[in-house]
Amino acid sequence: MVRMSEESRTGQVRPDDAGQALPEYAERVLEVAELIPPGKVMTYGDVAEWLEEGGPRQVGRAMSLYGGAVPWWRVVRSDGVLLPGHELRALERYRAEGTPLRQASRAAQGHVPKLDMRRARWDGDTAESGAAGDARPQAPEAHT
């Protein structure tokens, strides 16, 4: 994935791997992922609700295709199960950030912990993330 440049952080169009502009919806999903504070998570459905557009599958698709340049491990499944195939990478980041985890049962495959969704879930309060004002990404028609 392309690493986010300073230009993309300042609101200019972020390129994908092929140098093409990202679809607007994907750009907005990535903006939300960047707002989630360390140690917190949002579900795919939470992100869709925040954007007031799409659903969990659309958010998951955008994260799958374009999320490598943002804190992808902070956008998760609602059941707290770590992203299949990326469990160890995500777990390393969760531990470094102090994200609340629940110990896996002995019956769990690989004994990989799950996220403690009750404690880790972020409600989108931008004061908690340190962002100033309402940092909610807006739909294109809302920009005037």
Side-chain angles (χ1 to χ4, degrees):
M1 279 289 158
V2 173
R3 296 220 180 256
M4 184 176 311
S5 68
E6 187 59 35
E7 290 176 325
S8 61
R9 290 187 190 278
T10 60
Q12 297 202 4
V13 175
R14 180 187 339 230
D16 67 7
D17 285 341
Q20 302 295 314
L22 293 181
E24 176 64 30
Y25 186 74
E27 181 70 27
R28 293 176 58 224
V29 167
L30 299 182
E31 288 173 0
V32 174
E34 290 179 316
L35 292 174
I36 304 168
K40 295 293 185 180
V41 298
M42 287 181 92
T43 69
Y44 298 110
D46 291 341
V47 173
E49 186 177 323
W50 172 279
L51 293 173
E52 299 175 344
E53 182 181 355
R57 288 179 187 251
Q58 289 85 359
V59 171
R61 177 81 172 148
M63 290 299 297
S64 173
L65 292 174
Y66 308 108
V70 299
W72 54 267
W73 60 94
R74 296 183 193 153
V75 181
V76 300
R77 292 171 37 161
S78 62
D79 62 5
V81 172
L82 306 189
L83 183 64
H86 301 279
E87 298 95 334
L88 298 179
R89 286 179 40 220
L91 187 57
E92 182 180 306
R93 292 195 166 127
Y94 295 137
R95 287 183 172 147
E97 293 182 356
T99 308
L101 299 168
R102 292 179 34 205
Q103 289 304 319
S105 70
R106 292 178 191 242
Q109 184 177 2
H111 304 291
V112 176
K114 291 173 59 172
L115 291 161
D116 183 341
M117 293 302 292
R118 191 173 44 83
R119 294 179 24 220
R121 201 170 195 168
W122 185 56
D123 65 3
D125 181 4
T126 55
E128 183 179 343
S129 70
D134 182 10
R136 182 180 300 263
Q138 298 294 314
E141 61 274 7
H143 291 278
T144 55

